[in-house]
Amino acid sequence: MPLQTPTQAHSQARSAASIVSPPSTDGVSRIQPGSHEATLLLAQARNAAFEQASQGRLGEGVNLLCNALEIEPTSVDLLSDVAALLLSAGQLADAALYAHQAVQLQPQHAPSLYTLAFALSGLGEIKAAIEVLTTLCQGEAAEMLKRETPELAPLVAMELRRLQTT
């Protein structure tokens, strides 16, 4: 299945609802955002999405994550995951959009900053990419990056230097 745009993926996400949300008799979801059940189902959806992506089915992975976003539309992790999958598929503008939404919610979220910076760089938005990379190299974001994905810190520094000399 080819990767779809976020709008297409979001509109088709209900077809994957059985993975994220059990059907109800009246068509209304009984899962309360932020509940323990929602947290568990969202974790399952994230795992299933990355499993799909690892098997080359990025579109299905994005669909699952967009479906999960219907339950938790302000989940920074879900927005960041959608952005990461879109970035890996080369859908830079859409990746930047989702990453930006996540950064709006949590300005120091390293995975979202990373995706946003590299999407902007790929789009030729050099000044904006430099600003995001600079944010990623400082404070709480830098600590999160080094703690969660230390292997990416040198790549971030190298990209920042490359863009500053462009």
Side-chain angles (χ1 to χ4, degrees), residues 142-153:
E143 290 174 24
M144 179 185 271
L145 180 69
K146 290 174 186 169
R147 182 177 62 249
E148 295 182 11
T149 52
E151 68 279 5
L152 295 180

Side-chain angles (χ1 to χ4, degrees), residues 1-156:
M1 176 177 164
L3 184 63
Q4 301 170 333
T5 67
T7 303
Q8 292 168 323
H10 193 74
S11 67
Q12 291 187 5
R14 285 187 171 88
S15 67
S18 62
I19 291 176
V20 179
S21 175
S24 63
T25 56
D26 61 3
V28 177
S29 175
R30 301 288 181 212
I31 300 170
Q32 297 298 315
S35 69
H36 180 69
E37 180 183 23
T39 301
L40 290 175
L41 290 171
L42 295 177
Q44 289 174 341
R46 291 177 72 204
N47 290 338
F50 280 98
E51 176 66 23
Q52 292 295 320
S54 73
Q55 295 174 10
R57 295 189 294 264
L58 290 171
E60 292 176 27
V62 170
N63 282 342
L64 291 170
L65 293 172
C66 286
N67 190 49
L69 278 168
E70 288 184 10
I71 295 171
E72 290 283 348
T74 59
S75 169
V76 173
D77 289 330
L78 287 173
L79 290 166
S80 183
D81 289 348
V82 171
L85 288 182
L86 291 168
L87 180 68
S88 71
Q91 302 237 351
L92 304 179
D94 293 331
L97 175 68
Y98 278 96
H100 181 72
Q101 289 175 10
V103 170
Q104 292 282 59
L105 294 168
Q106 188 175 338
Q108 296 293 307
H109 190 252
S112 299
L113 289 166
Y114 177 91
T115 301
L116 180 58
F118 281 86
L120 290 170
S121 177
L123 290 167
E125 299 287 337
I126 306 305
K127 183 177 178 181
I130 289 171
E131 289 177 23
V132 174
L133 287 167
T134 300
T135 299
L136 184 54
C137 291
Q138 301 170 351
E140 183 183 327
E143 290 174 24
M144 179 185 271
L145 180 69
K146 290 174 186 169
R147 182 177 62 249
E148 295 182 11
T149 52
E151 68 279 5
L152 295 180
L155 182 61
V156 168

